[in-house]
Amino acid sequence: MYLIEQERLGDILAAQILSLLPDPQTWRLTITGDMVRAVNEIEARDHENTYTTDRGAGHVGARTIMHEDGTADIVISDFAFFASSQDMDAPQLIKYARAAAAHIALHEAGHAVLHNRGEGSDDYQDLPQLPHTPHAWRKHLAAHMEDHRIEQLAKRRAPSPLSQVDHFQDALAHFRRELNESRSSWKTDIQTACFRALDAANSLIRVMFYLSAELGIENGKAVRPEVLPDGWEEYIDANWSDWGLELHRLKPADEPMEPDELADVLSNLCILADAWLRANGVDFRITDQGQYIYWTKDQY
């Protein structure tokens, strides 16, 4: 409340949303200390389908909920305004909160803008014509593409105070841990083991897309972190340029794209994801006869 009342946090949030959604009658903003409860109430979810903020190596700090009448509910968790580091004095905490507020508000408004233009992930996720296995990636990667476009815009107008480079080490560690756990447990519960491996891969790819938007492209190559996280050379480096160059065919969220453009990028990313996972020791395939998964490494 101090930040909202004394440090004009509310003004910062509203200004960023209004910059993309200038009609205040088309959106509602909720700041909450209970993200799960707020989303469950707005979406009228039942107890068997409750919302979760867990995203593998991280947690969701905000959500944009679109309604059939074209309006949007933007829900932001109060924890999103606070840095994980405890080594900050009060002025530093306030500076961080203001920057975080500007970034997250712009990001969430970006989802509404793309949806209103017919460029949300739901609008193009089923357009690619692909073989069974890469086709299975389409919905996940379409959502991450949407985030990438918004982050390209946010990098220019309201960059995040939290660097994805700092978060990437945790994402890689989570990926490695989940692959080891799933490999060791597949004999007792193959379905759970399969889900854990694929979910970990999807979680890492999500962070990769955010990192790509942050680092960008220079001299026709995807920029790598200055200090490579542990596991980068093992799991990321061989395909990083391919990921980055394909992702930067996407335009920032304030620049329109045609459905066939989005579908073409999505198709290529699905093929990349399929090959990347197999190269990293998880052979997952879907055939006309069903699906199978095989862990090709003894240790990850």
Side-chain angles (χ1 to χ4, degrees):
M1 292 307 298
Y2 171 81
L3 289 169
I4 292 173
E5 294 177 355
Q6 303 298 321
E7 296 298 333
R8 304 176 65 85
L9 200 70
D11 292 347
I12 293 171
L13 292 164
Q16 291 296 338
I17 298 172
L18 286 167
S19 72
L20 293 180
L21 303 171
D23 182 356
Q25 300 300 315
T26 63
W27 55 271
R28 291 167 294 272
L29 173 64
T30 300
I31 308 299
T32 179
D34 191 338
M35 183 80 174
V36 171
R37 178 179 177 181
V39 172
N40 284 340
E41 290 180 353
I42 292 170
E43 295 188 324
R45 292 183 174 224
D46 59 43
H47 67 280
E48 295 180 352
N49 184 37
T50 59
Y51 181 69
T52 175
T53 61
D54 185 25
R55 293 297 183 273
H59 294 274
V60 173
R63 178 175 170 82
T64 298
I65 303 167
M66 299 301 303
H67 302 287
E68 292 183 359
D69 63 0
T71 62
D73 270 288
I74 296 174
V75 185
I76 302 178
S77 173
D78 58 2
F79 84 79
F81 305 129
F82 299 98
S84 57
S85 172
Q86 302 300 313
D87 301 325
M88 289 187 180
D89 57 23
Q92 290 172 323
L93 287 170
I94 292 169
K95 181 180 179 181
Y96 181 96
R98 291 168 65 90
H103 176 265
I104 202 163
L106 187 68
H107 183 102
E108 295 309 311
H111 284 295
V113 165
L114 290 176
H115 181 274
N116 291 339
R117 281 210 315 259
E119 298 174 33
S121 59
D122 289 343
D123 296 302
Y124 59 85
Q125 64 185 14
D126 290 322
L127 295 180
Q129 301 297 312
L130 293 163
H132 293 311
T133 310
H135 192 253
W137 283 100
R138 71 197 185 286
K139 292 186 178 182
H140 301 294
L141 299 191
H144 304 334
M145 281 171 55
E146 189 172 327
D147 284 324
H148 190 278
R149 295 186 65 193
I150 297 168
E151 285 299 299
Q152 286 189 53
L153 169 62
K155 178 183 178 180
R156 187 174 74 238
R157 289 175 44 176
S160 173
L162 176 64
S163 171
Q164 293 298 321
V165 174
D166 298 333
H167 177 56
F168 205 78
Q169 183 65 72
D170 291 338
L172 273 169
H174 175 265
F175 178 67
R176 188 194 300 269
R177 183 170 59 252
E178 288 297 286
L179 292 193
N180 282 320
E181 290 292 331
S182 62
R183 187 195 183 285
S184 67
S185 63
W186 73 267
K187 291 182 179 180
T188 56
D189 190 344
I190 185 66
Q191 290 185 339
T192 298
C194 179
F195 174 81
R196 288 186 70 167
L198 297 180
D199 188 56
N202 180 52
S203 295
L204 180 57
I205 288 173
R206 176 177 178 270
V207 182
M208 286 167 58
F209 281 27
Y210 271 84
L211 181 64
S212 173
E214 179 180 309
L215 296 180
I217 298 290
E218 288 183 4
N219 300 319
K221 295 183 179 180
V223 178
R224 303 193 311 170
E226 291 185 7
V227 178
L228 298 181
D230 181 41
W232 177 276
E233 293 181 341
E234 182 177 359
Y235 292 110
I236 307 298
D237 202 47
N239 303 104
W240 181 243
S241 188
D242 293 335
W243 285 110
L245 292 175
E246 193 63 43
L247 283 167
H248 280 83
R249 291 178 58 204
L250 297 170
K251 297 176 183 177
D254 57 344
E255 299 179 25
M257 292 185 69
E258 295 297 325
D260 60 338
E261 293 180 285
L262 293 165
D264 187 55
V265 174
L266 178 57
S267 294
N268 292 338
L269 290 173
C270 287
I271 293 169
L272 274 173
D274 177 39
W276 169 81
L277 183 62
R278 194 171 298 112
N280 282 322
V282 179
D283 189 1
F284 173 73
R285 297 178 191 265
I286 301 174
T287 69
D288 291 335
Q289 289 71 44
Q291 66 181 41
Y292 76 85
I293 185 169
Y294 187 73
W295 288 261
T296 60
K297 289 185 178 181
D298 294 330
Q299 187 74 24
Y300 293 91

